[in-house]
Amino acid sequence: MPDRRQPDSSTDDNPFAAPPEGRPDQPWQPRSGGDGDGGRPGEDPGTGPSGPVRWDPTDPVQRRARYALLAGMWGFFFGIFGIPSVGLLLGALALYWGVSGLRGRPAAGSPSGARADAVAGPAAQGGLAALGPAARPQRTAAIGGLVTASLAILLALSSYGLQLAYKDFYICREDALTKSAELQCNTLLPDNMVGKILKVQQ
C-alpha cells in the first residue's frame, strides 16, 4: 500500500507550518479565534463603528457630555434646596457643555475621533452625530444634561423672580429682629398659593 502521510496534530494550530502535501500555498490571513479578537486591525473588540463608544477621558466631546449631566443634576438639586446662585451657575455650565458635546468634534488623536472618521468619511458631521448609533450613551448624557440644566436655570430664575416681585416681604423678613415681627411680614404677601408657600410659619 502507498505510504499516506497522516496530518500531524502538532502542526494543525501552527500558522507557520508548511501546508499539507498537495495543497497550494495560501496568503496569510488573520485568524479569528474564540477570544473574540477577529475584528479589523486597529479596532477594539466589540467597539466597531456601530458598537458602543468606550469612555475616553482624552476626548473633549465625551468629557463635556458627562460634565453636562453632572453639572445639570447638581444645579437642579441646588435650585430645589434654595441656593439659586449656585444652581444658576451650574445650570449655565451644563447648558454650555451639553451644546458643546452635541456640536463639538471628537479629538483627532483619540480612538473615538478615528472611529468617527471611519464612519463618516471625508464629509464627517460634527459632534456625537459623527459616531452614529455608537455614541448613544454620550448623546443620552448630553441631552440629560441639557434637560436638567434647563430645570436648574428655570428654578433659579423663578427664585429671583419671586424675590423681585415680593421684595418688600423679603426685606421685612431680613430686618425682623423677633419672631413676632417676622410674622407681621406675612401681611405683605398675597392671599394665594404663592403667599401660602412663602409666608413665615409660627
Side-chain angles (χ1 to χ4, degrees):
M1 294 181 63
D3 184 16
R4 294 185 179 179
R5 299 181 58 184
Q6 298 295 331
D8 189 0
S9 59
S10 62
T11 62
D12 288 345
D13 297 330
N14 186 0
F16 302 102
E21 185 178 357
R23 181 184 298 177
D25 292 341
Q26 295 180 355
W28 180 86
Q29 294 179 354
R31 300 174 58 189
S32 57
D35 53 356
D37 292 337
R40 288 181 290 182
E43 182 175 284
D44 293 336
T47 57
S50 59
V53 177
R54 293 182 179 178
W55 165 241
D56 182 12
T58 63
D59 187 3
V61 174
Q62 296 189 37
R63 286 202 312 267
R64 289 170 184 171
R66 300 290 181 95
Y67 292 165
L69 181 60
L70 293 176
M73 290 174 57
W74 280 107
F76 177 72
F77 290 147
F78 277 110
I80 291 180
F81 295 151
I83 311 178
S85 57
V86 180
L88 183 62
L89 175 62
L90 292 177
L93 287 175
L95 195 64
Y96 168 74
W97 282 328
V99 173
S100 299
L102 291 175
R103 295 177 60 88
R105 180 168 175 77
S110 64
S112 57
R115 193 173 295 113
D117 294 337
V119 173
Q125 303 179 24
L128 296 175
L131 299 177
R136 185 175 301 171
Q138 283 73 26
R139 186 181 296 108
T140 302
I143 294 176
L146 290 177
V147 172
T148 52
S150 302
L151 293 176
I153 293 175
L154 182 61
L155 288 175
L157 294 179
S158 299
S159 177
Y160 287 129
L162 287 176
Q163 294 180 21
L164 184 62
Y166 305 108
K167 182 179 180 181
D168 295 337
F169 166 75
Y170 283 100
I171 293 176
C172 176
R173 193 180 65 176
E174 291 176 0
D175 294 341
L177 300 178
T178 61
K179 186 67 176 180
S180 58
E182 190 176 4
L183 290 173
Q184 292 295 325
C185 298
N186 290 336
T187 58
L188 301 175
L189 292 173
D191 188 14
N192 53 23
M193 182 62 65
V194 176
K196 293 179 182 179
I197 295 175
L198 296 179
K199 75 176 182 179
V200 180
Q201 302 295 329
Q202 295 182 356

